Amino acid sequence: MADYLDIKKTTFLFALLLSLSSVSAHAAFNSGSTGADGALNPTADVELQLPPSGIFQYTSVNIPSGVTVTFRKNANNTPVTILASGDVTVAGAIDVSGKPSQNVGTNVLLDYTFPGVGGPGGFDGGRGGMSQVNSRAGNGLGPGAGGGGDRNSFCSGVAQGGGGGGYKGGGGINGVPFNCGNNPLNTGTGGGGYGTDFIVPLLGGSGGGGAAGGNTYQGAGGGGGGGAILIAASGTVNVTGAIRANGGKGGDAALNNLSVAGGCGGAGSGGAIRIVASNITGNGSLNVSGGGTSCIAFSASLQGGSGGIGRVSTQVATTGTINVTGFPTLAISSVGGIAAPAVPTGVGDVALPADTPNPVTVVINTTGVPVTNTIQLTLTPERGGGAVSVASPPLTGTVASATTSVSINVPSGLSTLFATTTYTIVASLGDQLGTQFAKGERVEKIRLSANFNGSSTTTLITVSGKEYTVPSNAVAAVGG
């Protein structure tokens, strides 16, 4: 019976994915800032609320020494985009790092399994496992998610730590598998790498996996992935302080005793820092380190994996502008007859009554996607368990507005949904896209994905099967 479904941010905010387009060779670089937000000149530490678009339109930015600027995430968990029509000076600090997960305490009545939260545009860690439950802990979130730790009765309930999240660098596995004869436990695997050197699209870091629970104590959650930030200035970006997008540390276990302890959570990966400006100066630091493994566990089998390093890109641009345009959309609109919120929170967005019969109907809407296309819907339980994928019937309606529905069995507890579609394009458009994004090879298909955290991904697939991830708005611009 379906009890509770957690749709992890299935809507999108497309203005975030920015492309740099060419203009006249005699024109100076233009960040595209309207200057509507004026100048940013904080005199003390400040937390700024991200607007729905995630984009700040400043005239100039000056963060003095000793001042740190952080951000309160918006409902769609967009990255941070700072556009400035003048200069950006960072003598203090800008911080979009992921958060650590909490350490497991000794009060068995409290829930210590909560994961660390990703920075803006980053991904959360996985939930830790409860005690006395023979199942894997939750995987982290994101393209390079760390795997959840395992536990089973064959090994006397010994728990495994979670794997670290990956980004540019892969995440670390937990210490060592605990081998008990013919029934070794699966280790919490480290997440793989993803993304591009130019950080297009702008993606944050991935969360670490949660740790399995022990006989008495719960497993710790995984650390959150570092966030993502783009700073584009028509003038100079001068960094003598620090810009940080580090991954969060995984939580520690409760006790150093194999017979009762849960495992330590995997750390989140570092996030992404991209700077585009007419001039870039300064000797400050751009930090995208993965979360560390200061786990107190005495046994390597309980320890969590470290987070992989994130990505940094700096680009001095003499011409061009930052453009924001529209492009195709894919969103889950309802589950079991209950409408998904227009701006989901990512926590309990749709709650199904306990007596809701399986299978449950999920309605999906698209714009800009060819009709007759199908949607692949994947459901993943939050605390372990195998993912299940179901293909939808063909879309009906028009390219401007189409819909389809999928029937899928929803287990009790928390689950996440992921929707994706792939469609073939005409040869003329494929040649254009290939020239710009695929090293001259014709693009045959486009895959559009809807993620649980509010981000979307467009992947170009060439005739030979190579895949290139690109900004979705850039595809739309080429396609007219």
Side-chain angles (χ1 to χ4, degrees), residues 232-257:
S234 301
T236 295
V237 172
N238 181 30
V239 181
T240 56
I243 302 176
R244 296 189 288 266
N246 298 319
K249 174 185 166 294
D252 286 344
L255 293 174
N256 292 335
N257 188 322

Side-chain angles (χ1 to χ4, degrees), residues 205-237:
S206 294
N215 283 332
T216 301
Y217 295 102
Q218 301 156 357
I229 183 169
L230 165 67
I231 299 175
S234 301
T236 295
V237 172

Side-chain angles (χ1 to χ4, degrees), residues 72 147 153 220 268-269 278 297 343 347 361 365 397 421 447:
R72 185 180 302 120
S153 58
S269 75
S278 296
V343 183
V347 179
T361 300
N365 294 333
T421 187
R447 182 168 65 238

Side-chain angles (χ1 to χ4, degrees), residues 339-398:
V343 183
T345 64
V347 179
D349 293 315
V350 175
L352 299 178
D355 59 354
T356 302
N358 275 318
V360 172
T361 300
V362 179
V363 178
I364 302 167
N365 294 333
T366 64
T367 65
V369 177
V371 294
T372 73
N373 225 55
T374 61
I375 308 294
Q376 189 82 6
L377 181 72
T378 300
L379 180 146
T380 304
E382 187 173 40
R383 273 199 177 95
V388 177
S389 296
V390 179
S392 76
L395 288 163
T396 59
T398 66

Side-chain angles (χ1 to χ4, degrees), residues 119-169:
F123 300 85
D124 295 352
R127 288 286 298 256
M130 301 298 291
S131 61
Q132 300 295 326
V133 177
N134 294 329
S135 64
R136 293 182 68 91
N139 296 333
L141 303 183
D150 198 4
R151 174 181 184 272
N152 64 42
S153 58
F154 294 110
C155 289
S156 301
V158 173
Q160 294 280 287
Y167 194 177
K168 181 178 182 179

Side-chain angles (χ1 to χ4, degrees), residues 14-108:
F14 297 116
L16 258 290
L17 305 178
L18 307 180
S19 64
L20 185 66
S21 61
S22 297
V23 296
S24 168
H26 301 289
F29 170 70
N30 179 10
S31 70
S33 174
T34 65
D37 296 320
L40 176 63
N41 296 303
T43 57
D45 292 353
V46 62
E47 181 185 51
L48 302 177
Q49 173 63 60
L50 271 179
S53 67
I55 301 174
F56 293 100
Q57 306 271 358
Y58 292 123
T59 54
S60 63
V61 175
N62 181 28
I63 302 173
S65 178
V67 172
T68 297
V69 175
T70 57
F71 303 89
R72 185 180 302 120
K73 299 200 292 186
N74 57 29
N76 286 288
N77 189 31
T78 67
V80 177
T81 298
I82 294 176
L83 306 181
S85 54
D87 296 333
V88 173
T89 300
V90 183
I94 295 175
D95 199 332
V96 295
S97 297
K99 303 297 184 183
S101 55
Q102 63 182 331
N103 295 333
V104 176
T106 57
N107 187 337
V108 296

